[in-house]
Amino acid sequence: MASMLQYVANIPQETVRRLKAMSPKLVPIFICLGALPVLMLFSLVAGWTVWKNVPKGWSEPVYLQYGDGGLPYSELEIASLSTHQPYDISLHLTVPARDGNYALGNFMVTLTATTYWNTTVVDVRKPAVVVPPAPSFVPFVSRAPRLIGMAVPLASSVVTGAARIKVRVEIGRKDGWRTLGTGEGRELSVFAATLHGEVRPQGLRRILAAFPLSLAIAATVAFFLVSALVLIGFLLPSLVEQDSAREEEETGPTVPPEEPSSSLAPVRRRSSRQEESADEESEPNPHIYPTPEPDIRRRARRRSSLLLKD
């Protein structure tokens, strides 16, 4: 029972000790887990940036002003344009299908686009005519249309050079059709009008325009993978250093072998005569250095001298 209680009491200390031992490896893991949402956010931003830079067309409604003493006109502003992207500009009209519009014949559509620093981007006039629809091949079944749609191409490959431009559109004839027929002024009846700008991609933008979604997803995945590899490249050396330090602590530091010093002079071999002379010099000469007699002999001599006296 006592051993069980001691084991339970040592659980927190053992847990803390194991956490301290694993902390060098847990810190990089926590850093990676914390950086993953940030990398995913930046990857989504990268994909959205690619999607935003895909060349796209634009469409703006045109509200014609009648009765101002001139041709029906409309002034509008077009924003969010690509400064270096060519556009094909056209006017799409929806007119009532009636004889009054058919009888007008040709009329003119004028387009004038300028920047906010009074630079003319395009100034063009194009003719147009309302053509009645073709008769149906199935009588008594199909009804005649009430509205007719028509498109008037105005300009091709227009590069604005600015992100925002001012546009003025005029529809009709400057003579007001007074030179025709009985001289009565007439105007084109328009139900709705829209100014379109179709993009004409060039170079890399053509690929972006062909596969916008695929390229946006590819950019997101590529940015995430590259960022993750860079993060792992920064954290991997610290893990390797920690493992090597732990191995050195377990095995002990390795001492490199000492290399022989090149400054030491080579040992010369002695000849046999030199060795014999050295041995003779090392042996003591008994005539010069008398060896002392041992104490046993002295004691024996003393005893023999005492016995002779007695």
Side-chain angles (χ1 to χ4, degrees), residues 41-63:
L41 177 62
F42 282 123
S43 302
L44 292 175
V45 171
W48 177 79
T49 304
V50 173
W51 174 266
K52 185 179 179 181
N53 289 329
V54 172
K56 298 178 181 178
W58 48 268
S59 177
E60 294 290 337
V62 178
Y63 302 101

Side-chain angles (χ1 to χ4, degrees), residues 77-88:
E77 176 185 345
I78 301 175
S80 302
L81 296 175
S82 179
T83 57
H84 302 287
Q85 180 63 48
Y87 294 97
D88 291 343

